Amino acid sequence: MSPDVIAAIKELVPAARVYDDPLSTLAYGTDASFYRLIPRVVVKVESEEEVVSLLAIARRFSAPVTFRAAGTSLSGQAISDSILLVLGDQWKDHEIRNEGRQIRLQPGIIGAQANAWLAPYGYKIGPDPASINACKIGGIVANNASGMCCGTAQNTYHTLASMRLILADGAVVDTEDSASVKAFRGSHAPLLAELEQLAAETRANTELADRIRHKYRLKNTTGLSLNALVDYSDPIDILTHLMVGSEGILGFVSSVTYDTVPDYPNKATALLVFTNADSCCRAAALLRSQPVAAVELLDRRSLRSVQDKPGLPEWIHGLSEDACALLIETRAPDATLLQEQLVQIRAALAGFPVEKKVDFTSDPKVSDQLWAIRKGTFPAVGAVRPTGTTVIIEDVTFPLDQLAEGVKRLQALFVKHAYDDAIIFGHALEGNLHFVFPQGFDNPDEVARYDAFMKDVSQLVAVEFGGSLKAEHGTGRNMAPFVELEWGHDAWELMWKIKGLLDPENLLNPDVVLSRDPDIHLKNLKPLPAADPLIDKCIECGFCEPVCPSEGLTLSPRQRIVISRDIQAKKRAGKDTSELEAAYQYQGIDTCAATGLCAQRCPVDINTGDLVRKLRAQKTGHPGAADWVAEHFQTVLRGTRFVLTMASGVEKLLGAPRLAKLSAGLSRVSGQRLPQWDPSMPQPIRFVPQAPVAESDAPRVVYLPACVSRVMGPASGDGEQTTLYDKTRQLLEKGGYQVVQPQALDTLCCGQPFASKGYPEQAERKKTELLKALLAATRNGRDPVYCDTSPCTLQIQEAARELGMALYDPVKFIREKLVDRLVFKPEDTRIAVHVTCSTQHLGESQGLIDIARRCSTNVVVPEDIHCCAFAGDKGFNVPELNSHALRTLPRQVASCTEGISTSRTCEIGLSRHGGIDYHGLVYLVDRVTEAAPY
């Protein structure tokens, strides 16, 4: 690519959103597939106008362009070695219409968020891909994604109401805007006439038209959506439906309106294990005419892959070698109809003998357990694959009446090509099977084995069975060489005609869906070299990214792993990595909040924060200083109070505006080594340890105030000036508890500040000291421990449990120990709730929200803020991370009078960026409660 292209882009788009450095292009050049292309330039686009202008630059320089939403694509359709356009923050508008029966969405919205907006109305969007918590609407449309309950009737193609799109020539048309359509009909009359003519010719070609109709009775995303030519006669309708599933090779979808589908609240789930695949598939075929929402098939190998997971039925271990299971779910608008459906389904299946079963249940706990079997299959293979290999997940459809034979023939191919670890599962109602296997690409023999296997699979599925090679994962690069084999030459050439009409210069995502290179599926295979046991199981799926606070500012967990792998591989090859490591220090290490939320979303349980802490530990150069701090912790706390006292005094002397300006200058001059003061900074606490308490008949609780609670009071401008320490004691005593504290409290620390800085030995030492003091204070575990800050609770939770101590964070203690001792008088004050990362890890997210709703009838839980990224002292030392994580907070809490949380440091950042005062949960609970009569 000519340097002039990048120069032209930088003239158009602010430099902060244009990336052409080696670290960024490698990081963004990764999607969930097993291919990698490194773009020459990545542009974060924020408007239609930018897309139009960037397409003009691409045409001027003949530079190919690829569009990227979330990058969870599995077939190599979201990567580029040229210009990669990535959706920025400004593609998240939505509009709910007709009481939830329609929703208009921009492409940057995550699918699950759309369903969260629709849930109060009892509706959802039709597509339900397994990646719905991470993938975005742009990708859902571009791949015509479906899923477990979607089938063919509820995918984007069939639930599309309207679309706004941008063509390769820069034209914009909104199909629900009559003026826009009229203008487009005038400006693009020849194009529309050509589409109309192609549709007429296709319908007149009876053999081709019948073939198209047959192909789309199956789940099918192989090639372009030729059904648009037989289903519609208006060229506008043809155009919009061709865009669905086109994977960005025909244009850019800037918004879509869905006709939604009912989301029934009543459901029942069952797991039936049949003696063999034949009877299992015959049952699945029969269920197609029954009132079922999902029927998932799992072969014996897939069941074996998850049989050791906690909570799953023990009998899975003893199933026969030929066993094959169906996971069945039925849903209904009311309980009565649900029971009627269960009677009907049971009667239909009565003639099939089963080896084992979990009968239909509406118990959410059991249902979740059953779905855990299905959802755990793919990650189970990923978790046990040899280091250096990737996980391939293929996605085919057999005609339903031939499904059993298809399963047997696939299993025979696994044996032929020595894929001994391959498993099969899938959406049985549609004859849609996924098969998963580990695959190495590090030598020619492995590549040849994969190629031979895929050619056999393609011949089996597409030719012998007349099925589809890609049911729902999109053609991408993976199946592009086999589109002609599946569709036949005439249909393949018809697709090329459509491509030529809409993208005559072949600039939009070339070699995706359509390619004349028969080996494109074997090129640009992504290496997954060993880097560290903490991350070697990463499959780079991107499921972690939505909860990462640094995603979009620097790197996401997936991208941190990509760069870490590349650094290690380059080092082993003897290459100089100094520049890459220097860039990674800020992008990957300094700006990681290390909260571990990524692990909650990761299919193979990777906590990228563990890697970052390990890297920090390798780079720490002052263990002696850390030892001194650990040994003189009380002195350090006194010093911190002194600094806060000085800052408070200067604030009173100079005033907040002048101090903020002075502090900003000092922070800038020091290279951000000095934290910047602002009005949210806390005042110091004059902490006086509690005197020994006299014994009483009241129940005892050992109160552990975190070090921040012993040092940091409210900000000077906060309307609430009572310290968290005093407020907590006040609430506990109101609940009738005798409050005691550990001895030598100001010397104690949970160890988290040391762990986060990369000093694990000092962290463990301080944690051990604290636990010893708590054990004494609790009379060897007789009394519960209340810790007023959720991150500290999380830090010592496991060790406390092993010692037999009952440890509580504020949410759990209030929920289990105080609610019955208090009388709640809820107020109508509009309250914002921030659920901290540690509260999520502790499993108390809903508990916090429920307590807030006991206290206020007007509770707001901001969307898309999974972590505030204050991360101990990151909010002081890397303030841009906290600012980025909370960039959407102000508009969401603008109408609130107060915010609540469970971490004092988090509350500093939340107050700073939210524009309202955030306090600990105990402030709200204390304000609206009275002691219950005994």
Side-chain angles (χ1 to χ4, degrees), residues 172-186:
V172 181
V173 59
D174 188 336
T175 66
E176 68 178 32
D177 180 340
S178 57
S180 174
V181 171
K182 182 178 179 181
F184 186 76
R185 288 187 188 277

Side-chain angles (χ1 to χ4, degrees), residues 108 110 315 364 393 417 420 526 603 806:
I110 291 173
W315 51 255
I393 178 167
H417 294 278
D420 300 327
K526 180 168 66 180

Side-chain angles (χ1 to χ4, degrees), residues 587-717:
Q587 300 266 14
I589 299 174
D590 293 347
T591 52
C592 178
T595 62
L597 288 185
C598 47
Q600 293 188 357
R601 296 292 186 93
C602 176
V604 290
D605 303 320
I606 292 171
N607 184 340
T608 313
D610 289 342
L611 171 71
V612 169
R613 280 186 287 270
K614 183 175 180 178
L615 294 175
R616 287 172 183 164
Q618 292 171 357
K619 291 178 178 290
T620 52
H622 307 285
D627 283 333
W628 188 92
V629 171
E631 292 165 7
H632 300 84
F633 200 71
Q634 187 172 25
T635 303
V636 173
L637 294 189
R638 286 172 181 164
T640 305
R641 292 187 188 104
F642 176 75
V643 171
L644 290 174
T645 300
M646 293 294 293
S648 184
V650 174
E651 179 188 2
K652 292 174 183 175
L653 182 65
L654 297 180
R658 292 176 67 186
L659 177 56
K661 186 176 180 181
L662 173 64
S663 174
L666 291 172
S667 180
R668 190 165 49 252
V669 169
S670 72
Q672 271 70 49
R673 284 188 291 273
L674 288 175
Q676 185 173 327
W677 184 93
D678 70 38
S680 66
M681 289 286 277
Q683 299 176 97
I685 290 176
R686 183 176 177 273
F687 180 74
V688 179
Q690 177 195 38
V693 296
E695 289 293 329
S696 75
D697 293 333
R700 285 167 45 115
V701 60
V702 175
Y703 172 28
L704 172 62
C707 53
V708 292
S709 308
R710 290 175 257 143
V711 172
M712 298 179 181
S716 61

Side-chain angles (χ1 to χ4, degrees), residues 486-755:
E486 175 172 332
W487 275 98
H489 184 74
D490 289 350
W492 189 60
E493 287 296 343
L494 177 57
M495 293 179 194
W496 277 108
K497 284 183 184 177
I498 293 166
K499 172 71 169 172
L501 282 175
L502 293 167
D503 179 24
E505 297 175 70
N506 195 25
L507 296 180
L508 300 185
N509 221 2
D511 281 326
V512 167
V513 180
L514 298 173
S515 177
R516 298 193 187 274
D517 183 346
D519 295 321
I520 195 67
H521 65 305
L522 303 176
K523 296 178 178 178
N524 304 300
L525 298 169
K526 180 168 66 180
L528 288 177
D532 189 289
L534 291 171
I535 59 170
D536 284 342
K537 296 305 179 187
C538 176
I539 53 179
E540 299 182 4
C541 63
F543 284 14
C544 54
E545 293 187 334
V547 295
C548 177
S550 63
E551 193 275 329
L553 173 70
T554 51
L555 299 179
S556 69
R558 166 166 64 175
Q559 293 169 334
R560 284 184 170 87
I561 291 172
V562 167
I563 302 301
S564 185
R565 281 174 164 163
D566 190 61
I567 289 171
Q568 296 305 316
K570 282 183 165 67
K571 282 184 173 181
R572 285 194 294 271
K575 297 180 180 178
D576 181 10
T577 61
S578 54
E579 286 190 22
L580 187 58
E581 288 190 79
Y584 191 59
Q585 181 63 43
Y586 175 77
Q587 300 266 14
I589 299 174
D590 293 347
T591 52
C592 178
T595 62
L597 288 185
C598 47
Q600 293 188 357
R601 296 292 186 93
C602 176
V604 290
D605 303 320
I606 292 171
N607 184 340
T608 313
D610 289 342
L611 171 71
V612 169
R613 280 186 287 270
K614 183 175 180 178
L615 294 175
R616 287 172 183 164
Q618 292 171 357
K619 291 178 178 290
T620 52
H622 307 285
D627 283 333
W628 188 92
V629 171
E631 292 165 7
H632 300 84
F633 200 71
Q634 187 172 25
T635 303
V636 173
L637 294 189
R638 286 172 181 164
T640 305
R641 292 187 188 104
F642 176 75
V643 171
L644 290 174
T645 300
M646 293 294 293
S648 184
V650 174
E651 179 188 2
K652 292 174 183 175
L653 182 65
L654 297 180
R658 292 176 67 186
L659 177 56
K661 186 176 180 181
L662 173 64
S663 174
L666 291 172
S667 180
R668 190 165 49 252
V669 169
S670 72
Q672 271 70 49
R673 284 188 291 273
L674 288 175
Q676 185 173 327
W677 184 93
D678 70 38
S680 66
M681 289 286 277
Q683 299 176 97
I685 290 176
R686 183 176 177 273
F687 180 74
V688 179
Q690 177 195 38
V693 296
E695 289 293 329
S696 75
D697 293 333
R700 285 167 45 115
V701 60
V702 175
Y703 172 28
L704 172 62
C707 53
V708 292
S709 308
R710 290 175 257 143
V711 172
M712 298 179 181
S716 61
D718 195 329
E720 174 60 76
Q721 287 297 303
T722 306
T723 67
L724 175 62
Y725 174 76
D726 290 331
K727 183 63 70 174
T728 300
R729 286 182 55 86
Q730 180 177 316
L731 180 62
L732 293 173
E733 289 170 354
K734 181 194 291 185
Y737 283 93
Q738 178 187 182
V739 181
V740 297
Q741 289 174 356
Q743 294 295 307
L745 187 56
D746 243 6
T747 67
L748 302 177
C749 171
C750 70
Q752 182 163 337
F754 297 92

